[in-house]
Amino acid sequence: MKIYDRSGFPNPARIRIVLAEKGLDNAVEFVPVDLIGAEHKQEAFLSLNPSGVIPLLELDDGTLISEATAITEYLDNLDGNPTLTGNSPKEKALVHMMQRRAEAYVLDPIGIYFHFGTPGLGPSLQAFKSPEWAGRKEWADRNRATVEEGFRYFNKILGSSDYVAGEFFSMADITLFAGLAFGDAAGVHVPEELGNLIAWRGRVNSLPSVQNRSGQAFLPEDAKRLGF
Ligand SMILES: N[C@@H](CCC(=O)N[C@@H](CS)C(=O)NCC(=O)O)C(=O)O
């Protein structure tokens, strides 16, 4: 298997955590994609993934799977013992629902804020992601407000369960964790008063799969270069 990704970025890091959780670190070859140079917006990459984003999984038979959730489902089911996407029908439904909320309330809008409200990954990519237009700042601010509301929502959820979709670590936690890391890189931090969310983040951060995601940290080199 090959995974097209970029060291240190939040969505690829979701898959690094999954690989570590499932003991599959050595089963994949990583193919680096130059996001800052907009390699993923060129025809060669778009022919593999028309969405123009990473991560992208390529199986040995040539099958291409994009979307972190779809890749996670595939990897989680390979050993016949899905631990991250739910085992029973009820667990599967709850993980799916909460992971989608983590994307919709936090990870996706933080991505929009990052690209529309900050210099993003620099001029080469901004030309594709966020061309100049009058409503740009307002769109960024609206998405930032969605993220801040999302933080409060998950703080409430985590007041009555240890993890986002119940009492076990799942794909929903991975999505939210990536969202918080992306938020930090974009300057949207979890407020101190959201104690449940902060405590949960500490618990997730200490998991071996998160500590040891193939030596990757979130946004380190590129974030520094861009001055975050
Ligand atoms: N919904 C996608 C989101 C993937 C995504 O946005 N990846 C980022 C990297 S963290 C990316 O490729 N950004 C570059 C761009 O949007 O041009 C998924 O779950 O895989």
Side-chain angles (χ1 to χ4, degrees), residues 9-12 14 35 40-41 51-55 66-69 71 103 107-108 115 121 125 128-129 182:
F9 278 69
N11 286 290
R14 291 162 78 182
L35 289 189
H40 57 303
K41 303 302 186 199
S51 302
V53 292
I54 54 171
S66 72
E67 292 301 321
T69 46
I71 297 170
E103 278 185 347
L107 182 57
D108 289 350
H115 290 289
L121 292 177
L125 187 54
F128 293 92
K129 293 293 290 182
F182 201 176

Side-chain angles (χ1 to χ4, degrees), residues 159-180:
S160 54
S161 66
D162 279 353
Y163 292 101
V164 169
E167 299 309 323
F168 64 101
F169 178 68
S170 77
M171 174 167 71
D173 297 283
I174 296 174
T175 304
L176 183 60
F177 189 79
L180 266 48

Side-chain angles (χ1 to χ4, degrees), residues 206-223:
S206 64
L207 294 173
S209 58
V210 176
Q211 285 292 313
N212 179 31
R213 43 180 184 266
S214 305
Q216 306 302 308
F218 286 97
L219 287 168
E221 306 136 33
D222 301 289

Side-chain angles (χ1 to χ4, degrees), residues 46-61:
L46 292 174
S47 67
L48 303 176
N49 180 9
S51 302
V53 292
I54 54 171
L56 172 69
L57 171 65
E58 183 174 351
L59 303 184
D60 293 342
D61 69 1

